[in-house]
Amino acid sequence: MSTLANSLFGVIENRISPVAARLSSQRHVVAIKDGFIASMPFLIVGSFMLLFSHPPFSENSQWAFAKWWLGIVRQYNDQLMMPYNMTMGIMAVFITSAIAYNLAQSYKLNGLMAALLSLMTFLVVAAPQKDGALSVASLGGEGIFTAILISLYCTEIMHLLTKYNIGFKLPEQVPPKIRQSFDLLIPILVIFLTLYPLNLLMESHFGLLLPQAIMSLFAPILSAADSLPAVLIAVLLCHLLWFAGIHGAAIVGGLLQAFWLANLGINQEALNAGQEVTKVFVEPFWQFFITVGGSGATMGLVILYLRSKSAHLRSIGRLGLVPGMFNINEPIIFGSPVVMNPLLFIPFVTTPLINAVIAWTATRTDLINHAISLAPWTTPGPIGAAWSTGWDWRAVVLVAFLIGLSALIYYPFFKMYERQLLQQEAEMADGMVLAEETK
């Protein structure tokens, strides 16, 4: 067993960790991750307003509060949905600009100019004008993958032209702002000579805009990503990276953000249309069910630490309790430590995997609602679970059950680690007594 564990740790440290470290610092991956992060405040507000516009009550409810809420929604539905339409409804617009800005910054280019160029390009291919109006059908979840590709394409064009010093040469006397605006003329020309004709070709021959064509290409991947095996693979990879001391949630979460938001957009569109909500694997599912308390689902471990006989674990439990309630568990991961700790490896990896299976089954069998709203990841688990599932009280019960289950899974490993620390603390105490006696 020891040989097997050493071999596994060797593979994690020597094979997986270097690749993950390079991936986490790769400029395009970082730009995409930071672009999604920058867009989150808009998406959270939009999700909340969508939730408010769909009360968790039956239309026939006789409860006075429910009747009042339902009446407000019926009377002012358009006004209540406006914040959603201008945030989640056009999320790809924010994502396009944010990714381009961050990638341009990494190249030491003008981030604002890159964001504007990408925004224009995205609107050209995703929202062509017809009958005096712009179509918004591809500006939401359907346009996410197009937003990523366009922001990278436009910024790389700017970088290539800058690298080879291609552009209009204006005298130094010209103000910098004007010179910067002229720097976009050639990139804009490139866009209208490449992507715009391609979009027209797709529309005339296939009746599809570029975002719709790209979404159809990603549809099999999106469908495969919303499956239990895909969830388990993502969870396993995340926690193997964490165990090696690399922020697995940042890496895996960054790669999954596009799929999470696309799935969330599909759920919200279905909710608005009165159709069945089907997608399971969205960010709230990960944050509030799989990793409640932080990566490794360590809230149960915190509870065990609080009653530990080991002074070290008790202090770590007290230190990690409040952050853990808000899904921040670095004090536990690095203070225990969990990182590269053979005694805690098995529960750290298996607990979120078991949580994923239970929560997936509960969602698929309609024991709890599907997630339809985006809550801040720092929202306490039970509250975040209820918020994201449309105030479903059953989600709160499930989170409480998962926390208790995590404590049971961690318990035998915690006791082994506790015995080891108690022995070390006793030896340290004996050494201090001996040192005092020899003075």
Side-chain angles (χ1 to χ4, degrees):
M1 181 68 182
S2 177
T3 303
L4 179 62
N6 289 334
S7 299
L8 178 60
F9 298 156
V11 170
I12 295 172
E13 187 173 8
N14 300 320
R15 299 290 180 84
I16 298 178
S17 296
V19 174
R22 287 195 294 270
L23 182 63
S24 66
S25 59
Q26 205 278 331
R27 71 169 76 241
H28 297 88
V29 173
V30 172
I32 292 171
K33 180 186 69 175
D34 290 345
F36 281 120
I37 291 173
S39 306
M40 279 300 149
F42 303 98
L43 309 186
I44 290 171
V45 170
S47 292
F48 181 80
M49 291 309 299
L50 175 71
L51 205 58
F52 187 82
S53 300
H54 292 81
F57 309 113
S58 166
E59 287 288 338
N60 301 321
S61 175
Q62 296 303 307
W63 186 24
F65 177 72
K67 292 172 68 175
W68 171 81
W69 191 342
L70 290 164
I72 291 292
V73 170
R74 280 193 292 268
Q75 185 174 357
Y76 300 105
N77 184 65
D78 290 342
Q79 292 86 341
L80 292 173
M81 285 296 291
M82 182 61 71
Y84 166 80
N85 293 331
M86 293 296 104
T87 50
M88 283 295 301
I90 56 170
M91 71 170 91
V93 171
F94 302 106
I95 292 169
T96 302
S97 303
I99 293 175
Y101 178 89
N102 283 286
L103 182 58
Q105 290 286 90
S106 74
Y107 280 129
K108 309 299 181 186
L109 299 174
N110 189 304
L112 176 60
M113 293 294 106
L116 292 175
L117 175 66
S118 299
L119 176 59
M120 180 216 72
T121 306
F122 180 74
L123 292 176
V124 164
V125 302
Q129 186 178 25
K130 187 175 182 180
D131 298 328
L134 298 181
S135 171
V136 298
S138 298
L139 301 186
E142 186 177 85
I144 285 179
F145 296 106
T146 305
I148 295 172
L149 295 175
I150 281 180
S151 58
L152 299 181
Y153 176 69
C154 292
T155 310
E156 287 298 334
I157 287 177
M158 288 184 62
H159 175 240
L160 187 66
L161 295 174
T162 302
K163 180 180 178 180
Y164 292 102
N165 200 26
I166 301 173
F168 290 98
K169 305 297 186 294
L170 299 179
E172 290 296 326
Q173 292 80 6
V174 176
K177 294 297 180 183
I178 296 178
R179 199 158 53 242
Q180 289 171 6
S181 65
F182 270 80
D183 287 341
L184 279 188
L185 289 178
I186 293 181
I188 291 173
L189 182 62
V190 171
I191 296 302
F192 279 107
L193 290 177
T194 56
L195 287 184
Y196 185 52
L198 176 61
N199 198 54
L200 293 177
L201 180 66
M202 293 293 301
E203 190 174 11
S204 62
H205 282 72
F206 303 102
L208 297 173
L209 295 177
L210 196 57
Q212 296 166 343
I214 291 175
M215 193 65 175
S216 65
L217 292 176
F218 276 95
I221 303 175
L222 196 62
S223 178
D226 190 45
S227 65
L228 184 56
V231 173
L232 296 179
I233 291 171
V235 172
L236 179 61
L237 178 59
C238 169
H239 289 83
L240 288 177
L241 293 175
W242 256 125
F243 192 74
I246 297 174
H247 202 306
I251 296 173
V252 175
L255 296 175
L256 290 174
Q257 276 292 349
F259 297 96
W260 284 343
L261 285 176
N263 284 339
L264 184 64
I266 291 170
N267 280 356
Q268 293 181 342
E269 289 171 7
L271 181 67
N272 282 329
Q275 300 171 351
E276 182 184 2
V277 177
T278 59
K279 297 297 182 179
V280 176
F281 197 28
V282 295
E283 186 173 3
F285 180 80
W286 177 287
Q287 300 290 1
F288 304 123
F289 296 109
I290 296 177
T291 61
V292 58
S295 294
T298 55
M299 199 65 227
L301 185 61
V302 171
I303 295 171
L304 295 175
Y305 279 3
L306 291 173
R307 300 182 62 84
S308 175
K309 299 175 183 177
S310 166
H312 172 72
L313 294 184
R314 251 194 339 271
S315 63
I316 293 299
R318 292 167 183 164
L319 183 65
L321 177 61
V322 174
M325 291 172 61
F326 296 92
N327 302 313
I328 300 169
N329 67 342
E330 278 80 358
I332 301 299
I333 288 180
F334 295 107
S336 298
V338 174
V339 171
M340 297 306 289
N341 185 339
L343 290 177
L344 295 177
F345 171 73
I346 292 177
F348 183 73
V349 173
T350 57
T351 302
L353 290 173
I354 293 171
N355 285 356
V357 173
I358 293 173
W360 178 275
T361 303
T363 305
R364 279 296 188 203
T365 56
D366 294 324
L367 290 178
I368 63 169
N369 291 342
H370 288 67
I372 55 171
S373 181
L374 190 64
W377 67 270
T378 51
T379 307
I383 299 174
W387 178 343
S388 61
T389 56
W391 308 116
D392 185 359
W393 64 269
R394 298 171 300 174
V396 178
V397 175
L398 178 58
V399 170
F401 170 77
L402 294 176
I403 292 174
L405 179 62
S406 71
L408 289 176
I409 296 171
Y410 271 106
Y411 183 76
F413 303 93
F414 152 74
K415 292 303 290 184
M416 287 189 289
Y417 188 40
E418 182 186 52
R419 281 196 297 269
Q420 184 184 91
L421 290 181
L422 286 172
Q423 183 178 353
Q424 293 174 1
E425 290 172 6
E427 291 173 356
M428 186 179 298
D430 292 341
M432 292 177 63
V433 170
L434 184 60
E436 288 291 331
E437 290 176 349
T438 55
K439 282 184 179 180

